[in-house]
Amino acid sequence: MDLFENDLFASQDEQQVSIADGAMLLRHFVQQQKNASLNEAVLLADLNYILENSSLRQMITPGGFTMSVAMTNCGALGWVSDRKGYRYTTLDPSTGLPWQPMPASFLALASATAAQAGYADFVPDACLINQYQPATRMSLHQDKDEQDFSQPIVSVSLGVPAIFLFGGAKRTDVTRKILLQHGDVIVWGGKTRLNYHGVTPLKADSHAAFGACRVNLTFRKAA
Ligand code: MD3
Ligand code: FE
């Protein structure tokens, strides 16, 4: 059941893979949902609505670099970065208006996947939407702007596949590679919640609904 490094493409038949203590990969979970309120078509329609009504933007790091990934948020809180630092805000800095509400299908997906991984009552208040174009990457970092690290993070991969880098508690720890495909969900909790992670530059590829892009949703309980 080793899907790391040279085994990147191994065990592709496994639906549910334990990545580490507290981290669970649910392959193609999105496509498996067939309820009226939670299915792939509804999820993609809700995502399109959010993207049509808010702008994806490349944020600036506190160090002055422009992030490669384009981002927006939905939910009561949204993650932002600028020269002043990283934080969650109730208002979209580009409009001064609240972020759009989290669609019911997003909430249903986040709670269903968290429950499957053993987190019974996950109710996210923030959904960060990351858009990757060809060559877009995300360098190694920790997610530590949330209040309660006992709450998991749920990540949903859509569109063009990506290679995810899963490191350890220190930046210099060895990283392992995980192939993330359309519809895959990972629930990150427990001991892995503060592990370093990133995404390698997106390869040129094409997906029926997303073209050359990958979109990643990360659900968080920030407050
Ligand atoms: C492992 N996004 O938005 S999601 C991020 O694919 C982020 O867009 C990546 O890292 C992406 O912060 C990776 C997977 C992920 C999210 C949170 C984690 C992995 C994590 C928190 C702890 C450990
Ligand atoms: Fe992250």
Side-chain angles (χ1 to χ4, degrees), residues 3-223:
L3 72 169
F4 301 117
E5 288 292 355
N6 302 324
D7 284 336
L8 188 61
F9 301 96
S11 352
Q12 281 295 316
D13 49 321
E14 301 228 32
Q15 295 282 305
Q16 192 163 314
V17 183
S18 173
I19 292 176
D21 190 356
M24 175 86 81
L25 167 60
L26 307 171
R27 280 211 181 92
H28 311 307
F29 190 93
V30 168
Q31 296 93 315
Q32 290 162 6
Q33 304 313 299
K34 306 285 185 185
N35 305 315
S37 55
L38 178 58
N39 61 68
E40 184 178 7
V42 166
L43 199 82
L44 296 193
D46 286 346
L47 173 60
N48 269 332
Y49 182 85
I50 296 287
L51 293 178
E52 279 165 12
N53 292 283
S54 66
S55 38
L56 287 163
R57 80 295 307 256
Q58 288 174 275
M59 297 190 193
I60 309 296
T61 68
F65 295 100
T66 300
M67 294 183 72
S68 165
V69 179
M71 298 176 162
T72 189
N73 293 274
C74 63
L77 294 170
W79 185 87
V80 301
S81 176
D82 59 21
R83 288 308 298 242
K84 291 183 280 181
Y86 310 122
R87 64 202 172 277
Y88 283 92
T89 66
T90 57
L91 303 179
D92 179 344
S94 75
T95 59
L97 298 171
W99 302 101
Q100 291 175 84
M102 210 180 302
S105 65
F106 282 31
L107 279 171
L109 177 64
S111 65
T113 50
Q116 182 108 347
Y119 300 92
D121 300 304
F122 182 56
V123 183
D125 53 19
C127 175
L128 174 60
I129 302 171
N130 294 327
Q131 187 211 47
Y132 294 74
Q133 291 184 330
T136 298
R137 62 193 286 276
M138 187 176 281
S139 53
L140 282 182
H141 67 279
Q142 295 171 291
D143 288 20
K144 52 180 186 184
D145 301 317
E146 301 75 27
Q147 302 278 339
D148 180 359
F149 300 141
S150 74
Q151 293 283 332
I153 290 182
V154 171
S155 84
V156 180
S157 293
L158 297 169
V160 166
I163 295 169
F164 177 77
L165 296 172
F166 178 54
K170 297 186 304 240
R171 187 183 292 279
T172 51
D173 286 347
V174 65
T175 59
R176 301 181 294 181
K177 293 177 178 175
I178 304 173
L179 179 68
L180 292 180
Q181 295 177 293
H182 178 74
D184 289 353
V185 178
I186 307 190
V187 180
W188 306 94
K191 289 182 178 162
T192 64
R193 174 62 181 76
L194 289 171
N195 281 25
Y196 278 88
H197 57 277
V199 179
T200 69
L202 196 73
K203 290 174 184 155
D205 199 342
S206 152
H207 180 276
F210 288 85
C213 292
R214 169 176 188 258
V215 172
N216 181 263
L217 312 177
T218 49
F219 294 97
R220 299 119 189 280
K221 181 154 183 352

